Amino acid sequence: MTRQALPFLENLNTPILHCLYSAIASLSQTRQAHAYILKTGLLADTHLSTRLISRFANHHSFVEADLVLRSISDPSISSFSTLIYALNKSNLFTQSLNVFSRMLSHGVLLDTHVLSNVVKACGKLSALKFGREIHCIVCKYGFDSDSVVQASLVHLYLKSDRIRDARNVFERLPEGDVVTYGALLSAYARKGCVNEVKEIFSGMQSYGLEPNVVSWNGMITGFNQSGNYVEAVVMFQEMHSKGFQPDHITISSVLSAVGDMERFNIGIQVLCYVIKLGLLHCKFVISALIDMFGKCACAGDLMKAFEETNEELMDVGARNALLTALSRNDLVDVAMEVFERFRVRGRELNVVSWTSMIAGCSQNGKDIEALELFREMQSAGVKPNSVTIPCLLPACGNIAALVHGKAAHGFALRTGITADVHVGSALVDMYAKCGRIHLSRLCFDRIPNKNSVCWNAIMGGYAMHGKANEAIDIFHLMQHKGHKPDFISFSCVLSACSQGGLTEQGWRFFNSMYEDYGIEAKMEHYSCMVNLLGRSGKLEEAYTMIKQMPFEPHACVWGALLSSCRLHNNIRLGEIAARNLFELEPNNPGNYILLSNIYASKAMWDEVDAVRDVMRSRGMKKNPGCSWIEIKNQVHILLAGDKSNPQMTEIIEKLHKLSLEMKKAGYLPNTNLVLQDVNEQDKEQILCGHSEKLAVALGLLNTPPGSPLQIIKNLRICGDCHAVIKFISGFEGREIYVRDTNRFHHFKDGVCSCGDFW
């Protein structure tokens, strides 16, 4: 090789250019070299110009590096490649692609190094469209057989969530590498595609490639996310037996699988291994451990793990896992204490933390606390999201807090999340439980992409309001729109038939479950049918159905029969149902009360006393009738016979005046509904003290004339109260909504929406 062939060797004799080959040369020296090259006309020397670009790039002086590149009249591929690589290394991917575009315009021949770097830049930017164009260039210039370029394309498509395209490129790879195999395997694992995960893992081994930790993690994660928890644990054991040391990702995945299996004994073994590996300080592992304890219902171990963990090692994810686990294990009070402790100590909490607590309260009967938490959340500057609102709305529905529910709806509208199917479904359910079924239907109609939860919510709402025909129409509309009903859909429509007394339609729906959809009837479906038949007076038919059930009936089935026996005062079947309930629910006073009431309806006072003696001997008390009404954003609770309300004198006086008006209109109190051995006058006084009447009177005294009233009762409304409230709705010109344990009653103009069938 002659000096003439390599002219840059002569330039090395110039001291000022030595800096181009020195790793410690300063930016000032590089600029001096640049000036010298310009002065002496050496810029055409490709080697020198490329070295100059490289030195400027090393100093992150990319403007000057690009200026050098633009100054070269006939740049080589190495000049472009040097700058593209440097820009990528500094995460300046957009500039990298711009340089590549200029390279194409110069007609410079491409190489593997440039193409793989440019594809990498597209992946980092999620620039799928540009990446596809580069893929075309790769094919056009014959690089589709190059392993490096093809592997980079696989990663591009995976980062753009185009797993099918990635797989197509992967299949054309002349030879794969562990990293590419692992990336594709992990992508399938994240989607829970366990068959593809197995196939790729086997393919890697068949090519003689030893799986790395990423590959094993992909397998374990794939099994875990697809619900194959046992296989995930087995794969973890195999990984360990082959000498691979798991990392925090592996441990987190296997602990999640153990939790879903509810195999606490395996979880303890994994915990010991975690301690041995020294991973107990890892935040991800701590979160997974807490979650595992919660799923395994090991509340004591959960709290012990929390108390022994340095709070400094718990990130917000671990705190959220703890709060969720406590609520899941009916320890919502403890969760509230821990949540407050985190707040007082200034620990980081996010929207998930607040949402978990709101959900925990809502699901555990602490509805008022859930509403208070929502207010505090906003005061703390934490913005609720599309998960928070569906967690809050059930609390509004549970206590019929319509004002709060509407406020949450307004927030959802302002933030543009009402189109979310979960928010929409929760709004449908909330308005139905608050007695506004017309608003429930409006929300339902505005959900753009309905799923089965939406359809079931509106059907359940119509059933709750006794609108059987509307519920059936929705069921048929659901089918017409191409949505297949599920077992909940049939529960809703059967409940609607029960509320409307539609026996024949109920039988048709019950039989079509399996005949048309292959859905096996579950306990709740049999309970609906027993309730439907029993309420319609077909008690023997209901009892026959119970005896022919393919599994042992639960308390809900016998309870439906006992309630129907109380409605029709059937002693024989009532005693049969009660005996079964006493075995299944020995400490439920409601079952004893129902049997006692059946006896009382037949004036069998000795039997009544015997039942009540049993209750006393077991320390059981009758749950008092309780109603609550919201007036001016304040909830008022009234108990049957309770005189503690400060307005009780006015309430009794109001009810007395209404009673006189009712008697003038020909109404007589139905004292047969008082199941006590007392005189008629005492029976009238007892009827007057029913909690729903007290709540209605309180509402009449404290709200403007003509405004609607809404009451919730913890028991089934009695026939006398039903008749009285019908009269009041017409006499006072009020709409009165009463929700009892069975359904909604909408009183208006002296008529009830139930048609006196409940």
Side-chain angles (χ1 to χ4, degrees):
M1 183 178 294
T2 64
R3 187 173 292 272
Q4 225 174 8
L6 296 173
F8 71 88
L9 291 176
E10 295 180 357
N11 297 325
L12 290 180
N13 294 326
T14 308
I16 199 170
L17 297 181
H18 284 174
C19 68
L20 298 181
Y21 301 89
S22 171
I24 60 172
S26 66
L27 178 59
S28 175
Q29 290 173 314
T30 304
R31 284 172 175 163
Q32 290 176 17
H34 185 197
Y36 179 80
I37 288 171
L38 289 173
K39 181 179 178 181
T40 57
L42 293 175
L43 197 61
D45 188 318
T46 303
H47 184 79
L48 280 178
S49 57
T50 301
R51 291 300 304 172
L52 188 60
I53 292 170
S54 176
R55 292 312 306 156
F56 276 128
N58 286 346
H59 288 293
H60 298 280
S61 183
F62 294 109
V63 173
E64 290 175 281
D66 191 52
L67 181 63
V68 173
L69 181 61
R70 290 176 182 274
S71 303
I72 302 172
S73 57
D74 189 21
S76 67
I77 187 169
S78 61
S79 305
F80 283 104
S81 179
T82 298
L83 185 54
I84 288 171
Y85 174 76
L87 289 167
N88 268 12
K89 192 176 179 181
S90 296
N91 297 325
L92 299 172
F93 302 110
T94 301
Q95 293 92 316
S96 174
L97 294 181
N98 289 335
V99 172
F100 178 72
S101 296
R102 288 191 356 240
M103 178 181 176
L104 291 178
S105 66
H106 277 78
V108 178
L109 292 177
L110 305 175
D111 65 7
T112 297
H113 186 65
V114 169
L115 286 171
S116 59
N117 272 289
V118 172
V119 171
K120 178 184 177 183
C122 291
K124 293 292 185 180
L125 294 171
S126 298
L128 180 61
K129 183 179 178 182
F130 195 51
R132 285 188 180 281
E133 292 175 2
I134 295 173
H135 192 174
C136 293
I137 293 171
V138 166
C139 296
K140 178 179 178 181
Y141 290 99
F143 288 95
D144 49 344
S145 60
D146 186 285
S147 297
V148 176
V149 175
Q150 292 293 84
S152 64
L153 283 168
V154 171
H155 290 282
L156 162 67
Y157 286 124
L158 289 177
K159 288 176 181 176
S160 302
D161 201 27
R162 306 287 294 193
I163 193 167
R164 183 174 296 178
D165 292 332
R167 183 65 182 271
N168 289 336
V169 177
F170 177 81
E171 297 292 351
R172 298 188 183 97
L173 273 171
E175 56 181 74
D177 61 273
V178 175
V179 175
T180 307
Y181 268 102
L184 189 62
L185 191 149
S186 298
Y188 276 121
R190 285 193 295 272
K191 292 182 176 293
C193 303
V194 68
N195 291 330
E196 287 80 359
V197 168
K198 288 180 180 179
E199 180 186 344
I200 294 169
F201 192 79
S202 299
M204 188 185 333
Q205 293 176 312
S206 67
Y207 277 106
L209 295 172
E210 186 65 37
N212 58 8
V213 173
V214 174
S215 305
W216 287 103
N217 287 347
M219 283 293 290
I220 295 168
T221 303
F223 284 131
N224 192 16
Q225 294 190 352
S226 61
N228 295 293
Y229 307 122
V230 174
E231 292 189 68
V233 174
V234 170
M235 187 58 62
F236 174 71
Q237 292 172 328
E238 185 178 341
M239 175 185 182
H240 176 258
S241 67
K242 289 186 179 294
F244 287 90
Q245 182 170 308
D247 59 12
H248 64 279
I249 298 174
T250 320
I251 297 295
S252 300
S253 293
V254 78
L255 283 172
S256 177
V258 169
D260 288 316
M261 291 166 61
E262 299 181 8
R263 295 290 299 275
F264 182 63
N265 57 330
I266 299 177
I268 289 297
Q269 294 177 44
V270 177
L271 172 58
C272 294
Y273 190 48
V274 166
I275 295 172
K276 179 181 177 181
L277 293 174
L279 290 174
L280 202 55
H281 65 281
C282 176
K283 296 177 180 179
F284 297 103
V285 173
I286 292 171
S287 296
L289 275 170
I290 290 171
D291 184 61
M292 184 272 292
F293 283 131
K295 287 178 179 176
C296 292
C298 298
D301 296 284
L302 173 64
M303 286 306 299
K304 184 179 179 182
F306 167 60
E307 297 296 345
E308 292 180 357
T309 300
N310 183 350
E311 276 192 32
E312 297 294 336
L313 294 177
M314 293 182 68
D315 63 1
V316 68
R319 295 185 196 105
N320 293 342
L322 175 64
L323 296 172
T324 301
L326 290 170
S327 297
R328 184 191 291 133
N329 286 279
D330 299 324
L331 295 172
V332 67
D333 289 327
V334 178
M336 292 280 283
E337 292 175 10
V338 172
F339 180 77
E340 191 59 32
R341 186 197 306 184
F342 287 152
R343 292 182 65 191
V344 170
R345 294 182 180 179
R347 305 298 183 193
E348 181 189 357
L349 297 169
N350 59 14
V351 63
V352 178
S353 319
W354 287 90
T355 299
S356 295
M357 289 310 307
I358 291 169
C361 289
S362 181
Q363 292 164 7
N364 287 276
K366 295 184 174 293
D367 304 301
I368 294 175
E369 290 87 341
L371 296 176
E372 183 61 32
L373 275 169
F374 183 69
R375 283 193 290 267
E376 291 179 17
M377 175 183 185
Q378 293 174 294
S379 299
V382 180
K383 185 178 179 181
N385 59 20
S386 59
V387 179
T388 313
I389 299 302
C391 291
L392 172 73
L393 288 171
C396 301
N398 291 340
I399 59 174
L402 182 63
V403 173
H404 293 90
K406 284 186 172 181
H409 188 183
F411 176 85
L413 286 168
R414 290 192 300 275
T415 53
I417 60 174
T418 51
D420 182 276
V421 68
H422 302 291
V423 174
S425 299
L427 285 168
V428 170
D429 183 67
M430 182 274 294
Y431 279 120
K433 287 179 178 174
C434 288
R436 305 305 191 268
I437 190 65
H438 62 290
L439 295 178
S440 184
R441 180 58 188 268
L442 281 175
C443 290
F444 171 79
D445 289 336
R446 290 174 181 172
I447 300 174
N449 298 306
K450 300 176 179 64
N451 62 7
S452 60
V453 177
C454 307
W455 293 98
N456 293 341
I458 190 63
M459 268 192 286
Y462 277 131
M464 186 191 305
H465 285 263
K467 295 182 176 293
N469 291 326
E470 288 85 344
I472 292 171
D473 289 342
I474 285 289
F475 185 88
H476 292 315
L477 180 61
M478 176 184 183
Q479 294 173 301
H480 178 71
K481 295 290 186 180
H483 293 270
K484 184 180 177 181
D486 57 18
F487 75 96
I488 298 176
S489 310
F490 280 100
S491 295
C492 292
V493 76
L494 286 173
S495 176
C497 291
S498 175
Q499 296 292 352
L502 305 178
T503 309
E504 292 183 9
Q505 291 94 321
W507 269 120
R508 282 200 295 271
F509 283 118
F510 184 80
N511 292 329
S512 73
M513 283 176 60
Y514 184 76
E515 293 174 2
D516 299 332
Y517 298 98
I519 300 174
E520 295 280 358
K522 297 187 178 182
M523 196 66 67
E524 52 264 46
H525 302 120
Y526 280 100
S527 178
C528 286
M529 285 303 298
V530 169
N531 191 48
L532 169 59
L533 295 169
R535 285 162 53 81
S536 300
K538 300 180 179 182
L539 293 169
E540 292 294 341
E541 195 173 338
Y543 182 46
T544 300
M545 176 173 241
I546 293 176
K547 291 188 291 184
Q548 294 175 350
M549 284 173 58
F551 34 72
E552 285 298 315
H554 288 186
C556 61
V557 176
W558 288 115
L561 180 62
L562 183 59
S563 296
S564 297
C565 290
R566 165 66 191 95
L567 184 64
H568 297 286
N569 299 322
N570 188 307
I571 296 175
R572 184 181 71 86
L573 291 179
E575 289 178 335
I576 293 173
R579 278 198 299 270
N580 283 279
L581 284 168
F582 295 161
E583 290 182 10
L584 293 167
E585 299 177 331
N587 298 315
N588 183 352
N591 299 323
Y592 293 87
I593 295 298
L594 278 173
L595 180 61
S596 171
N597 289 346
I598 294 173
Y599 287 141
S601 68
K602 298 290 187 179
M604 299 169 65
W605 302 116
D606 290 340
E607 286 78 0
V608 169
D609 291 339
V611 172
R612 293 183 177 175
D613 286 342
V614 172
M615 291 182 66
R616 277 192 292 271
S617 68
R618 296 188 178 184
M620 289 185 287
K621 294 183 179 180
K622 177 183 177 182
N623 293 326
C626 174
S627 296
W628 55 95
I629 180 172
E630 185 178 7
I631 301 172
K632 297 176 183 176
N633 294 332
Q634 183 178 355
V635 176
H636 299 264
I637 301 175
L638 298 104
L639 297 174
D642 184 19
K643 302 289 178 70
S644 62
N645 191 287
Q647 289 185 267
M648 189 52 68
T649 301
E650 299 171 70
I651 290 171
I652 297 299
E653 184 180 345
K654 180 67 174 178
L655 288 174
H656 179 67
K657 289 180 180 178
L658 288 170
S659 177
L660 293 176
E661 294 295 335
M662 291 173 69
K663 287 179 179 178
K664 287 180 187 177
Y667 165 81
L668 294 175
N670 187 356
T671 55
N672 291 330
L673 295 169
V674 178
L675 303 174
Q676 297 179 35
D677 191 13
V678 295
N679 61 45
E680 289 298 307
Q681 186 175 358
D682 289 338
K683 287 184 178 182
E684 284 195 34
Q685 290 299 318
I686 291 170
L687 288 172
C688 183
H690 281 194
S691 63
E692 57 266 56
K693 287 178 185 166
L694 300 177
V696 168
L698 182 67
L700 293 172
L701 291 169
N702 293 280
T703 58
S707 59
L709 302 177
Q710 181 149 315
I711 293 108
I712 300 178
K713 186 178 180 182
N714 69 330
L715 303 173
R716 183 174 176 270
I717 189 172
C718 83
D720 183 71
C721 289
H722 191 269
V724 169
I725 297 174
K726 275 203 304 183
F727 173 82
I728 292 174
S729 70
F731 183 78
E732 294 281 345
R734 299 274 194 136
E735 286 187 66
I736 304 175
Y737 301 87
V738 178
R739 192 180 90 195
D740 66 9
T741 54
N742 195 37
R743 58 170 295 159
F744 243 108
H745 298 267
H746 179 195
F747 300 92
K748 184 179 180 182
D749 299 329
V751 178
C752 180
S753 59
C754 74
D756 297 337
F757 182 83
W758 82 98

